[in-house]
Amino acid sequence: MLGKRLLADGIITSAQLEQALAQQRSSGALLGEILLGLNFITQEHLARALAQEAGVSFRMVDGLTPDPSVIAMVPEQFARQYMLVPLTMQNGTLEVLQVNPFDVLAVDELQRLVSRPVGVSCGRAQDVLNLIERSYTDRSSVSELVQEGVDALSTPQVDVATIDSPVVRLLELLINDAIARGATDLHIEPEDLTIRVRHRIDGVLIPSDTIPKELHAPLVSRVKVLAGLDITEQRLPQDGRISQMVNGRRVDLRVATFPTTFGEKVAIRILEKEKLVRGLAELGFSPTTYAIFRDILSRSRGIVLVTGPTGAGKTTTLYSALAYLGSTERNILTVEDPVEYQIPTIRQTQVRPKAGFTYATAIRALLRQDPDIIMIGEIRDPETAQLALRAALSGILVFSTLHTQDSAGAVPRLMDMGLEPYLLASGIVGVIAQRLVRVICPHCKEAASYPAETLKKVGPNPDSGLEFQRGRGCSRCNETGYRGRTGVFEVLVIDPAIHTLIRERGDSRQVKSAAVAAGMTTLMDDALAKAAAGQTTLEEVLRVAYE
């Protein structure tokens, strides 16, 4: 049994298994999917356990390129439907990578299709999807759909909004391509004569396709239809959501339109739970800060703040913390704007200011719901800050975010909102400041040297002996030298010395000095340690952590 295997391997606890089984009895979903949804396991944990249970090998895909000749043997629709990808032909046997090795019907169907025996290895769902996208998606198909769309517009009595129309298929391809490339955002931007498509990958916008301007109106209309927006309104911004199945899994898309001089711009935020909710150990904490953060999470009351600019990964840290704390024994409630992703065992709500349902209104209501833990999406105003502090002092663990440059800056910011220092000192238990740095691509990593001036900026002596690396750029990282991101953290604990400083209205410099004296690792120190360990580059350290 899968659950017993994961339990025996120490991946999950008995309590976690019981919680998942209870949810399975009520929902009927697969146990593996439930454990993933509860964030108790990762895709790799699941794939390895399934491989062991099925008696097949587990396989990672780094450096793996499927043979084009075997790709041609298996239709793309078949690969997507059964979540498998053909890899190679070995001694007359078609070797495939499959997400569910117990899906023997898919293997039987494939054997009939190719008239050959099939050998199976098991892989992570994301790896299989990436291989499918890389193997089947041809960039020429974008050009073909664009040309079909232009031809359709010039043909009388042709409805470009039908389900099989080229514009509909073009939008689907653009979204699938963005997801396959690991983009967090898809931008469709009108210019004078063309439409520019760009992806935000690892925090940086990267140009993709260029589409004729004639397709702008039908493309935007299709997005609006899917997101439930008013297709006749083109002068005002609109916001909506799309939830649809993409490559066998549900993906939430947050859509925002914005009028420009060349027409409406569309930004699509891609919300994937695998990226948004992670195990705490996967966020990028060093062993020391990880232990401190877990200690903060063990508190039964007080305010825990996550600070940093937009795009620093604050929501991921909060969601991962809530998933870590979530259980049937705790009443966890959130108020957000918007709800980024639903987490099992947690009750979430979204503010609606136009209807009078603000953060302050929602928090007052939450306090009457007997909560153990509440999460407030953001502390924006004095009223929200006062209510959050009142909740913390009444015995509730409160999580929220604040826009400050470092952890120490959260203290004077809250004082500026009118919180009394003696109450704040008693209510706040910890502040986590964070940034995201890009990780060096492992396929093109090489040694890097830097001038003494650069080294002096970030801290190490030129003669310290530290060695650094960078990526030279390759096809697997879109020639950027980076692949993925990790967190850089600064965890401020309210110890007796800082408690006294807050009561005496100490400024952020005094608070930071006291925290560093007590052993706090600063954002710069954590970023530099990751660069020295070969995880990121000094350019990234300077970009995100240099003051």
Side-chain angles (χ1 to χ4, degrees):
M1 177 185 172
L2 175 65
K4 290 182 179 178
R5 168 73 65 178
L6 293 168
L7 188 63
D9 291 343
I11 305 299
I12 59 174
T13 65
S14 298
Q16 289 174 329
L17 179 57
E18 284 302 317
Q19 182 180 344
L21 289 172
Q23 187 167 326
Q24 184 187 39
R25 286 191 288 270
S26 61
S27 67
L30 294 174
L31 181 62
E33 292 179 358
I34 293 172
L35 290 168
L36 281 173
L38 291 169
N39 204 41
F40 292 161
I41 62 173
T42 65
Q43 284 191 1
E44 183 172 341
H45 290 146
L46 177 59
R48 287 186 182 276
L50 287 174
Q52 286 180 311
E53 288 292 302
V56 301
S57 62
F58 168 79
R59 193 165 188 175
M60 297 293 284
V61 302
D62 284 344
L64 191 63
T65 302
D67 185 341
S69 63
V70 299
I71 289 292
M73 297 172 62
V74 181
E76 179 180 357
Q77 184 177 357
F78 186 97
R80 292 187 186 278
Q81 178 181 349
Y82 292 108
M83 290 292 287
L84 56 81
V85 61
L87 300 176
T88 186
M89 191 72 70
Q90 293 285 349
N91 300 320
T93 297
L94 177 63
E95 299 292 337
V96 302
L97 188 68
Q98 189 176 18
V99 172
N100 181 7
F102 288 100
D103 190 354
V104 293
L105 293 179
V107 176
D108 290 344
E109 194 69 28
L110 182 58
Q111 287 182 156
R112 283 194 292 270
L113 179 69
V114 299
S115 300
R116 288 177 174 82
V118 172
V120 173
S121 56
C122 185
R124 301 186 309 168
Q126 189 60 54
D127 287 342
V128 172
L129 289 170
N130 288 343
L131 279 180
I132 290 173
E133 291 295 339
R134 207 166 73 205
S135 303
Y136 287 100
T137 301
D138 183 357
R139 300 311 304 157
S140 65
S141 60
V142 173
S143 302
E144 292 169 2
L145 285 174
V146 165
Q147 188 57 53
E148 286 184 41
V150 172
D151 293 342
L153 285 173
S154 61
T155 303
Q157 287 85 44
V158 172
D159 184 359
V160 295
T162 58
I163 194 66
D164 293 324
S165 77
V167 169
V168 170
R169 288 182 284 132
L170 174 61
L171 178 61
E172 182 180 353
L173 179 59
L174 292 177
I175 292 173
N176 287 350
D177 186 40
I179 293 172
R181 290 170 177 244
T184 56
D185 299 85
L186 168 64
H187 291 257
I188 300 173
E189 305 169 322
E191 297 184 349
D192 188 13
L193 301 175
T194 62
I195 307 168
R196 185 177 302 279
V197 177
R198 293 195 291 173
H199 300 142
R200 186 173 295 280
I201 301 174
D202 296 334
V204 177
L205 277 173
I206 297 175
S208 182
D209 301 288
T210 301
I211 299 171
K213 189 64 175 287
E214 299 97 300
L215 295 180
H216 177 254
L219 199 57
V220 172
S221 293
R222 177 59 183 170
V223 173
K224 287 182 174 181
V225 168
L226 291 175
L229 305 181
D230 184 356
I231 63 172
T232 64
E233 179 57 74
Q234 301 176 5
R235 299 168 297 175
L236 297 174
Q238 297 187 67
D239 297 299
R241 294 179 79 102
I242 303 171
S243 182
Q244 63 183 47
M245 297 300 293
V246 177
N247 295 328
R249 70 193 192 280
R250 186 160 295 282
V251 175
D252 288 339
L253 307 172
R254 199 168 75 208
V255 176
T257 66
F258 187 79
T260 73
T261 54
F262 295 122
E264 289 181 282
K265 177 187 182 300
V266 177
I268 300 176
R269 170 66 55 86
I270 300 167
L271 303 171
E272 293 187 84
K273 187 172 187 180
E274 191 71 17
K275 297 179 181 179
L276 202 56
V277 183
R278 301 181 181 178
L280 292 182
E282 299 174 22
L283 296 177
F285 286 101
S286 68
T288 301
T289 54
Y290 181 57
I292 295 171
F293 186 43
R294 288 186 62 180
D295 180 64
I296 289 174
L297 295 182
S298 70
R299 309 292 179 88
S300 60
R301 55 169 290 277
I303 296 179
V304 179
L305 293 172
V306 181
T307 73
T310 300
K314 300 188 296 296
T315 299
T316 296
T317 298
L318 281 179
Y319 274 20
S320 299
L322 291 180
Y324 171 79
L325 293 170
S327 76
T328 56
E329 299 174 355
R330 291 189 179 100
N331 184 18
I332 303 178
L333 303 166
T334 79
V335 52
E336 308 171 54
D337 184 23
V339 172
E340 299 276 8
Y341 209 100
Q342 274 98 33
I343 305 175
T345 75
I346 295 174
R347 307 282 76 80
Q348 298 165 265
T349 190
Q350 181 168 316
V351 298
R352 297 174 181 83
K354 292 181 181 178
F357 190 56
T358 63
Y359 270 119
T361 306
I363 295 169
R364 288 191 183 93
L366 287 185
L367 295 179
R368 295 191 291 271
Q369 292 292 319
D370 184 34
D372 296 299
I373 300 170
I374 65 174
M375 192 268 275
I376 303 165
E378 182 183 352
I379 294 179
R380 298 175 176 173
D381 53 69
E383 187 177 15
T384 302
Q386 293 282 359
L387 289 168
L389 180 58
R390 184 192 306 171
L393 293 174
S394 69
I396 299 170
L397 187 60
V398 179
F399 292 92
S400 192
T401 66
L402 203 61
H403 286 282
T404 60
Q405 288 302 306
D406 59 10
S407 56
V411 173
R413 176 66 60 84
L414 291 174
M415 289 183 187
D416 290 342
M417 289 184 178
L419 298 189
E420 291 294 337
Y422 73 96
L423 292 176
L424 180 59
S426 300
I428 191 168
V429 296
V431 184
I432 298 92
Q434 72 177 81
R435 301 289 190 277
L436 291 176
V437 293
R438 290 183 289 175
V439 175
I440 301 171
C441 174
H443 303 289
C444 59
K445 183 185 288 189
E446 60 184 16
S449 59
Y450 293 91
E453 294 78 13
T454 300
L455 294 174
K456 288 178 181 178
K457 278 185 179 180
V458 296
N461 186 297
D463 300 321
S464 64
L466 291 177
E467 297 180 353
F468 301 99
Q469 295 178 307
R470 64 160 61 97
R472 67 177 177 276
C474 65
S475 60
R476 293 177 183 171
C477 60
N478 294 310
E479 304 299 333
T480 64
Y482 300 98
R483 189 174 181 182
R485 290 188 291 178
T486 190
V488 173
F489 298 93
E490 174 181 285
V491 182
L492 171 68
V493 179
I494 309 302
D495 61 14
I498 294 175
H499 184 280
T500 301
L501 278 174
I502 295 174
R503 290 179 64 93
E504 296 175 352
R505 293 184 177 272
D507 61 27
S508 60
R509 286 174 296 181
Q510 292 173 304
V511 172
K512 185 169 186 175
S513 295
V516 171
M520 182 182 78
T521 300
T522 65
L523 284 169
M524 175 59 80
D525 290 340
D526 195 31
L528 184 59
K530 285 180 169 63
Q535 290 181 265
T536 191
T537 64
L538 283 191
E539 288 89 349
E540 282 294 283
V541 174
L542 289 169
R543 184 176 71 88
V544 305
Y546 182 67
E547 299 178 357

